[in-house]
Structures are given as structure tokens and as C-alpha cells.
Amino acid sequence: MHKDTSKIVEELMLCPDFKTFYDENRSHIIETTLAEHLAGLIQKYDLKKAQVVHDAEISEVYAYQILSGQRVPERKKLLCLAVAMKLSLDEVQTLLRHAGYPMLYVKLPLDSVIMYGICKRLSVSEINELLYEYQLETLS
């Protein structure tokens, strides 16, 4: 059963002790690593790691280190992987939260271009072209 994050936060605030809260919400607490989460997405969509790495347009060594859990990616590199995997905007937001990064925020110019690119299923190169056109820092 899926429980909205705001509902979980509300329960946390109202709960008399953490143990009760944790016991009641354990199934909603993220207990996987970023690498495990990425592997789950790759498996869910029957993607090939080599193709994801190629389409992410980041260093092959760095990408495989991220996928294996050896390195914690920069936010922009994680976004490159997400774009390469053709994740939905909701999946990208979840991935960012899972990694401890801020979600994309439409009022920030860089983030709005990235969100547009994700929604329109643009490639990393196409998103980078848009970012460059608007004089914003590119993803790679």
C-alpha cells in the first residue's frame, strides 16, 4: 500500500514515540541503497546497463561506479542516468529524493529545462543544447 509522504510526516509529528511510528510505517521507509534502486529501475524497464551508460553521456568508469554503489553521483550525473533510462518525472523526483538531493523545482531555470526535457523524452544532448541556449550550466 502506498502512503503519501505528507501523511507519513503528519503521523510522525503526532506520534508519541518513534518506535510506534517506525513500526507502523516501516514498509514506507526507504531501506535500499541508491545502487539497488537504480538496479531495480534497470530491471523493471529491461534496460541494458551499457546502453544506459552510453546514453547518459558521462564517463563510462564513473557511471559504472555509480551503478555498482562505489561512488555517490553528483546530482547532475544522476540526472543524466535518469534521462538515459527515460524515467518519468515522478520517478526522477523519487530517485533524487532517494539519493538525498533536492527534487527538480520548476521555478529554477536549470530545473525547468531539465523537467521539460524529461517530460518530452529528450536525450541528454538535447537537454544540454537547451541549457546552453539559455546560458545555463549543462548536465555533462
Side-chain angles (χ1 to χ4, degrees), residues 70-115:
Q70 293 175 322
R71 289 191 75 167
V72 176
E74 300 168 22
R75 182 177 186 254
K76 291 195 304 182
K77 302 306 181 198
L78 186 58
L79 286 167
C80 287
L81 286 171
V83 168
M85 294 167 65
K86 299 187 180 353
L87 300 180
S88 70
L89 183 56
D90 285 343
E91 290 170 319
V92 173
Q93 299 290 42
T94 299
L95 183 63
L96 289 169
R97 280 193 312 263
H98 195 104
Y101 288 120
M103 293 188 302
L104 294 167
Y105 182 57
V106 74
K107 290 186 176 183
L108 295 174
L110 178 95
D111 286 5
S112 65
V113 171
I114 295 168
M115 291 173 83

Short mmCIF file of all heavy atoms in Angstrom, two decimals, residues 70-115:
data_model
loop_
_atom_site.label_atom_id
_atom_site.label_comp_id
_atom_site.label_asym_id
_atom_site.label_seq_id
_atom_site.Cartn_x
_atom_site.Cartn_y
_atom_site.Cartn_z
N GLN A 70 29.85 2.12 -5.80
CA GLN A 70 31.19 2.52 -5.38
C GLN A 70 31.33 4.03 -5.23
O GLN A 70 32.20 4.50 -4.52
CB GLN A 70 32.24 2.02 -6.37
CG GLN A 70 32.37 0.52 -6.40
CD GLN A 70 33.34 0.08 -7.48
OE1 GLN A 70 33.38 0.65 -8.57
NE2 GLN A 70 34.12 -0.95 -7.17
N ARG A 71 30.50 4.79 -5.95
CA ARG A 71 30.57 6.24 -5.90
C ARG A 71 29.18 6.83 -5.72
O ARG A 71 28.19 6.28 -6.22
CB ARG A 71 31.15 6.81 -7.19
CG ARG A 71 32.64 6.52 -7.31
CD ARG A 71 33.25 7.28 -8.40
NE ARG A 71 33.41 8.69 -8.01
CZ ARG A 71 34.15 9.54 -8.68
NH1 ARG A 71 34.78 9.14 -9.76
NH2 ARG A 71 34.25 10.78 -8.30
N VAL A 72 29.13 7.92 -5.02
CA VAL A 72 27.89 8.69 -4.89
C VAL A 72 27.93 9.75 -6.00
O VAL A 72 28.87 10.55 -6.06
CB VAL A 72 27.79 9.36 -3.50
CG1 VAL A 72 26.54 10.22 -3.42
CG2 VAL A 72 27.81 8.31 -2.40
N PRO A 73 26.94 9.75 -6.87
CA PRO A 73 27.00 10.67 -8.01
C PRO A 73 26.65 12.10 -7.62
O PRO A 73 25.93 12.34 -6.65
CB PRO A 73 25.93 10.11 -8.94
CG PRO A 73 24.93 9.50 -8.02
CD PRO A 73 25.75 8.92 -6.89
N GLU A 74 27.17 13.03 -8.42
CA GLU A 74 26.71 14.40 -8.32
C GLU A 74 25.26 14.40 -8.80
O GLU A 74 24.85 13.53 -9.57
CB GLU A 74 27.53 15.30 -9.24
CG GLU A 74 29.00 15.33 -8.95
CD GLU A 74 29.76 16.03 -10.10
OE1 GLU A 74 29.16 16.81 -10.86
OE2 GLU A 74 30.95 15.75 -10.22
N ARG A 75 24.50 15.39 -8.39
CA ARG A 75 23.08 15.48 -8.77
C ARG A 75 22.94 15.48 -10.29
O ARG A 75 22.09 14.77 -10.84
CB ARG A 75 22.46 16.74 -8.18
CG ARG A 75 20.97 16.91 -8.47
CD ARG A 75 20.46 18.17 -7.76
NE ARG A 75 19.04 18.33 -7.88
CZ ARG A 75 18.44 19.24 -8.68
NH1 ARG A 75 19.18 20.05 -9.42
NH2 ARG A 75 17.13 19.35 -8.70
N LYS A 76 23.76 16.26 -10.99
CA LYS A 76 23.63 16.35 -12.45
C LYS A 76 23.95 15.02 -13.13
O LYS A 76 23.34 14.67 -14.13
CB LYS A 76 24.51 17.47 -13.00
CG LYS A 76 24.00 18.84 -12.60
CD LYS A 76 24.60 19.97 -13.40
CE LYS A 76 26.09 20.00 -13.36
NZ LYS A 76 26.64 21.14 -14.10
N LYS A 77 24.90 14.28 -12.61
CA LYS A 77 25.24 12.98 -13.21
C LYS A 77 24.12 11.98 -12.98
O LYS A 77 23.82 11.15 -13.85
CB LYS A 77 26.56 12.44 -12.66
CG LYS A 77 27.75 13.37 -12.85
CD LYS A 77 27.94 13.79 -14.28
CE LYS A 77 29.14 14.70 -14.41
NZ LYS A 77 29.17 15.47 -15.63
N LEU A 78 23.49 12.05 -11.83
CA LEU A 78 22.34 11.18 -11.55
C LEU A 78 21.20 11.52 -12.50
O LEU A 78 20.51 10.63 -13.02
CB LEU A 78 21.90 11.33 -10.09
CG LEU A 78 20.81 10.39 -9.60
CD1 LEU A 78 21.22 8.94 -9.77
CD2 LEU A 78 20.49 10.69 -8.14
N LEU A 79 21.03 12.81 -12.78
CA LEU A 79 20.00 13.23 -13.73
C LEU A 79 20.32 12.71 -15.14
O LEU A 79 19.41 12.30 -15.87
CB LEU A 79 19.86 14.75 -13.73
CG LEU A 79 19.15 15.33 -12.51
CD1 LEU A 79 19.35 16.83 -12.43
CD2 LEU A 79 17.68 14.96 -12.52
N CYS A 80 21.59 12.68 -15.50
CA CYS A 80 21.98 12.11 -16.80
C CYS A 80 21.57 10.64 -16.89
O CYS A 80 21.04 10.20 -17.92
CB CYS A 80 23.49 12.24 -17.02
SG CYS A 80 24.06 13.91 -17.36
N LEU A 81 21.81 9.90 -15.83
CA LEU A 81 21.40 8.49 -15.81
C LEU A 81 19.88 8.37 -15.91
O LEU A 81 19.37 7.52 -16.65
CB LEU A 81 21.92 7.80 -14.55
CG LEU A 81 23.41 7.50 -14.52
CD1 LEU A 81 23.83 7.01 -13.13
CD2 LEU A 81 23.78 6.46 -15.58
N ALA A 82 19.17 9.22 -15.19
CA ALA A 82 17.71 9.17 -15.21
C ALA A 82 17.17 9.47 -16.60
O ALA A 82 16.23 8.81 -17.08
CB ALA A 82 17.14 10.16 -14.19
N VAL A 83 17.75 10.47 -17.26
CA VAL A 83 17.34 10.82 -18.63
C VAL A 83 17.65 9.65 -19.56
O VAL A 83 16.82 9.27 -20.40
CB VAL A 83 18.03 12.12 -19.10
CG1 VAL A 83 17.84 12.34 -20.59
CG2 VAL A 83 17.50 13.31 -18.30
N ALA A 84 18.81 9.05 -19.41
CA ALA A 84 19.20 7.92 -20.25
C ALA A 84 18.26 6.73 -20.06
O ALA A 84 18.00 5.98 -20.99
CB ALA A 84 20.64 7.52 -19.95
N MET A 85 17.74 6.59 -18.85
CA MET A 85 16.82 5.49 -18.56
C MET A 85 15.39 5.82 -18.97
O MET A 85 14.50 4.98 -18.89
CB MET A 85 16.88 5.17 -17.06
CG MET A 85 18.23 4.61 -16.64
SD MET A 85 18.49 4.57 -14.86
CE MET A 85 17.28 3.42 -14.34
N LYS A 86 15.17 7.06 -19.40
CA LYS A 86 13.85 7.54 -19.84
C LYS A 86 12.80 7.40 -18.73
O LYS A 86 11.66 6.99 -18.96
CB LYS A 86 13.40 6.84 -21.11
CG LYS A 86 14.34 7.08 -22.28
CD LYS A 86 13.82 6.55 -23.56
CE LYS A 86 14.67 6.74 -24.77
NZ LYS A 86 15.84 7.53 -24.76
N LEU A 87 13.22 7.78 -17.52
CA LEU A 87 12.31 7.72 -16.38
C LEU A 87 11.27 8.83 -16.48
O LEU A 87 11.52 9.88 -17.05
CB LEU A 87 13.09 7.86 -15.07
CG LEU A 87 14.16 6.81 -14.78
CD1 LEU A 87 14.84 7.10 -13.45
CD2 LEU A 87 13.56 5.40 -14.80
N SER A 88 10.12 8.60 -15.88
CA SER A 88 9.09 9.63 -15.80
C SER A 88 9.55 10.70 -14.81
O SER A 88 10.47 10.47 -14.01
CB SER A 88 7.77 9.03 -15.33
OG SER A 88 7.87 8.66 -13.96
N LEU A 89 8.90 11.84 -14.84
CA LEU A 89 9.25 12.91 -13.92
C LEU A 89 9.08 12.46 -12.47
O LEU A 89 9.94 12.74 -11.63
CB LEU A 89 8.40 14.16 -14.20
CG LEU A 89 8.73 15.39 -13.35
CD1 LEU A 89 10.21 15.79 -13.46
CD2 LEU A 89 7.82 16.54 -13.74
N ASP A 90 8.01 11.74 -12.17
CA ASP A 90 7.81 11.23 -10.81
C ASP A 90 8.94 10.29 -10.40
O ASP A 90 9.41 10.34 -9.26
CB ASP A 90 6.47 10.50 -10.69
CG ASP A 90 5.28 11.45 -10.65
OD1 ASP A 90 5.48 12.66 -10.39
OD2 ASP A 90 4.16 10.97 -10.88
N GLU A 91 9.37 9.44 -11.31
CA GLU A 91 10.46 8.51 -11.00
C GLU A 91 11.77 9.26 -10.78
O GLU A 91 12.56 8.89 -9.91
CB GLU A 91 10.62 7.48 -12.11
CG GLU A 91 9.49 6.48 -12.17
CD GLU A 91 9.52 5.61 -13.41
OE1 GLU A 91 9.82 6.13 -14.50
OE2 GLU A 91 9.23 4.40 -13.27
N VAL A 92 11.99 10.32 -11.55
CA VAL A 92 13.20 11.13 -11.38
C VAL A 92 13.17 11.82 -10.01
O VAL A 92 14.17 11.82 -9.29
CB VAL A 92 13.36 12.16 -12.51
CG1 VAL A 92 14.52 13.10 -12.24
CG2 VAL A 92 13.55 11.45 -13.85
N GLN A 93 12.02 12.37 -9.65
CA GLN A 93 11.90 13.04 -8.35
C GLN A 93 12.16 12.04 -7.21
O GLN A 93 12.86 12.35 -6.25
CB GLN A 93 10.51 13.68 -8.20
CG GLN A 93 10.18 14.74 -9.22
CD GLN A 93 10.96 16.03 -9.08
OE1 GLN A 93 12.17 16.04 -8.82
NE2 GLN A 93 10.28 17.14 -9.25
N THR A 94 11.63 10.85 -7.34
CA THR A 94 11.85 9.81 -6.33
C THR A 94 13.33 9.43 -6.27
O THR A 94 13.90 9.27 -5.19
CB THR A 94 10.98 8.56 -6.64
OG1 THR A 94 9.61 8.94 -6.59
CG2 THR A 94 11.25 7.44 -5.65
N LEU A 95 13.95 9.30 -7.43
CA LEU A 95 15.38 8.97 -7.50
C LEU A 95 16.22 10.04 -6.81
O LEU A 95 17.12 9.73 -6.03
CB LEU A 95 15.81 8.79 -8.95
CG LEU A 95 17.25 8.38 -9.20
CD1 LEU A 95 17.54 7.01 -8.61
CD2 LEU A 95 17.54 8.40 -10.70
N LEU A 96 15.91 11.30 -7.06
CA LEU A 96 16.64 12.40 -6.42
C LEU A 96 16.46 12.37 -4.91
O LEU A 96 17.42 12.52 -4.16
CB LEU A 96 16.20 13.74 -6.99
CG LEU A 96 16.64 14.04 -8.42
CD1 LEU A 96 15.91 15.27 -8.96
CD2 LEU A 96 18.15 14.22 -8.49
N ARG A 97 15.23 12.17 -4.46
CA ARG A 97 14.98 12.09 -3.01
C ARG A 97 15.74 10.91 -2.41
O ARG A 97 16.32 11.02 -1.33
CB ARG A 97 13.48 11.92 -2.74
CG ARG A 97 12.68 13.19 -2.80
CD ARG A 97 11.29 13.04 -2.22
NE ARG A 97 10.56 11.88 -2.69
CZ ARG A 97 9.67 11.89 -3.69
NH1 ARG A 97 9.41 12.99 -4.33
NH2 ARG A 97 9.05 10.78 -4.04
N HIS A 98 15.73 9.79 -3.12
CA HIS A 98 16.41 8.59 -2.64
C HIS A 98 17.90 8.86 -2.44
O HIS A 98 18.52 8.34 -1.51
CB HIS A 98 16.21 7.45 -3.63
CG HIS A 98 16.56 6.11 -3.09
ND1 HIS A 98 15.61 5.20 -2.69
CD2 HIS A 98 17.75 5.52 -2.85
CE1 HIS A 98 16.22 4.12 -2.23
NE2 HIS A 98 17.51 4.29 -2.33
N ALA A 99 18.47 9.67 -3.32
CA ALA A 99 19.90 9.99 -3.25
C ALA A 99 20.19 11.12 -2.27
O ALA A 99 21.35 11.44 -2.03
CB ALA A 99 20.41 10.36 -4.64
N GLY A 100 19.14 11.73 -1.73
CA GLY A 100 19.33 12.82 -0.78
C GLY A 100 19.50 14.19 -1.43
O GLY A 100 19.95 15.13 -0.80
N TYR A 101 19.13 14.28 -2.70
CA TYR A 101 19.23 15.54 -3.43
C TYR A 101 17.87 16.23 -3.48
O TYR A 101 16.83 15.56 -3.43
CB TYR A 101 19.73 15.31 -4.85
CG TYR A 101 21.18 14.94 -4.93
CD1 TYR A 101 21.58 13.74 -5.47
CD2 TYR A 101 22.16 15.80 -4.44
CE1 TYR A 101 22.93 13.39 -5.54
CE2 TYR A 101 23.49 15.46 -4.50
CZ TYR A 101 23.87 14.26 -5.05
OH TYR A 101 25.19 13.92 -5.11
N PRO A 102 17.89 17.55 -3.67
CA PRO A 102 16.61 18.24 -3.83
C PRO A 102 15.93 17.82 -5.12
O PRO A 102 16.60 17.54 -6.13
CB PRO A 102 16.98 19.73 -3.88
CG PRO A 102 18.45 19.81 -3.92
CD PRO A 102 19.03 18.46 -3.68
N MET A 103 14.62 17.76 -5.06
CA MET A 103 13.86 17.43 -6.26
C MET A 103 13.96 18.59 -7.25
O MET A 103 14.32 19.70 -6.88
CB MET A 103 12.39 17.19 -5.89
CG MET A 103 12.18 15.96 -5.05
SD MET A 103 10.44 15.54 -4.81
CE MET A 103 9.78 17.00 -4.06
N LEU A 104 13.63 18.30 -8.49
CA LEU A 104 13.60 19.35 -9.50
C LEU A 104 12.49 20.33 -9.14
O LEU A 104 11.40 19.92 -8.73
CB LEU A 104 13.35 18.74 -10.88
CG LEU A 104 14.46 17.85 -11.41
CD1 LEU A 104 13.99 17.05 -12.63
CD2 LEU A 104 15.69 18.67 -11.76
N TYR A 105 12.78 21.61 -9.31
CA TYR A 105 11.84 22.65 -8.92
C TYR A 105 11.60 23.55 -10.13
O TYR A 105 12.53 24.20 -10.62
CB TYR A 105 12.42 23.44 -7.74
CG TYR A 105 11.55 24.53 -7.19
CD1 TYR A 105 10.26 24.26 -6.73
CD2 TYR A 105 12.02 25.83 -7.11
CE1 TYR A 105 9.47 25.26 -6.21
CE2 TYR A 105 11.23 26.85 -6.58
CZ TYR A 105 9.95 26.55 -6.14
OH TYR A 105 9.16 27.54 -5.63
N VAL A 106 10.39 23.57 -10.60
CA VAL A 106 10.06 24.22 -11.87
C VAL A 106 10.38 25.72 -11.89
O VAL A 106 10.59 26.29 -12.96
CB VAL A 106 8.58 23.96 -12.25
CG1 VAL A 106 7.64 24.78 -11.39
CG2 VAL A 106 8.35 24.18 -13.73
N LYS A 107 10.46 26.37 -10.76
CA LYS A 107 10.75 27.80 -10.73
C LYS A 107 12.24 28.12 -10.88
O LYS A 107 12.60 29.28 -11.04
CB LYS A 107 10.20 28.44 -9.45
CG LYS A 107 8.68 28.50 -9.44
CD LYS A 107 8.18 29.27 -8.24
CE LYS A 107 6.67 29.42 -8.27
NZ LYS A 107 6.19 30.23 -7.15
N LEU A 108 13.09 27.10 -10.84
CA LEU A 108 14.51 27.30 -11.08
C LEU A 108 14.78 27.07 -12.57
O LEU A 108 14.39 26.03 -13.11
CB LEU A 108 15.35 26.34 -10.25
CG LEU A 108 15.28 26.52 -8.73
CD1 LEU A 108 16.05 25.40 -8.03
CD2 LEU A 108 15.81 27.88 -8.34
N PRO A 109 15.43 28.01 -13.23
CA PRO A 109 15.62 27.89 -14.68
C PRO A 109 16.25 26.56 -15.11
O PRO A 109 15.74 25.90 -16.02
CB PRO A 109 16.52 29.08 -15.02
CG PRO A 109 16.28 30.07 -13.94
CD PRO A 109 15.98 29.26 -12.71
N LEU A 110 17.34 26.16 -14.48
CA LEU A 110 18.00 24.91 -14.84
C LEU A 110 17.04 23.73 -14.68
O LEU A 110 16.90 22.90 -15.57
CB LEU A 110 19.25 24.70 -13.97
CG LEU A 110 19.99 23.40 -14.22
CD1 LEU A 110 21.12 23.62 -15.21
CD2 LEU A 110 20.53 22.83 -12.93
N ASP A 111 16.38 23.68 -13.54
CA ASP A 111 15.47 22.57 -13.27
C ASP A 111 14.29 22.56 -14.22
O ASP A 111 13.83 21.49 -14.64
CB ASP A 111 14.97 22.63 -11.82
CG ASP A 111 16.02 22.22 -10.80
OD1 ASP A 111 17.18 21.97 -11.20
OD2 ASP A 111 15.69 22.14 -9.60
N SER A 112 13.78 23.74 -14.59
CA SER A 112 12.63 23.76 -15.50
C SER A 112 13.00 23.21 -16.88
O SER A 112 12.21 22.49 -17.49
CB SER A 112 12.03 25.16 -15.60
OG SER A 112 12.92 26.07 -16.20
N VAL A 113 14.21 23.52 -17.35
CA VAL A 113 14.66 22.96 -18.64
C VAL A 113 14.79 21.45 -18.53
O VAL A 113 14.35 20.71 -19.42
CB VAL A 113 16.00 23.60 -19.08
CG1 VAL A 113 16.57 22.87 -20.30
CG2 VAL A 113 15.83 25.08 -19.37
N ILE A 114 15.37 20.98 -17.44
CA ILE A 114 15.53 19.53 -17.25
C ILE A 114 14.16 18.85 -17.17
O ILE A 114 13.94 17.80 -17.78
CB ILE A 114 16.39 19.24 -16.00
CG1 ILE A 114 17.81 19.77 -16.21
CG2 ILE A 114 16.40 17.74 -15.69
CD1 ILE A 114 18.65 19.80 -14.96
N MET A 115 13.24 19.45 -16.44
CA MET A 115 11.89 18.89 -16.32
C MET A 115 11.22 18.82 -17.70
O MET A 115 10.58 17.82 -18.04
CB MET A 115 11.05 19.71 -15.35
CG MET A 115 11.50 19.59 -13.92
SD MET A 115 10.64 20.72 -12.80
CE MET A 115 9.16 19.76 -12.49
#
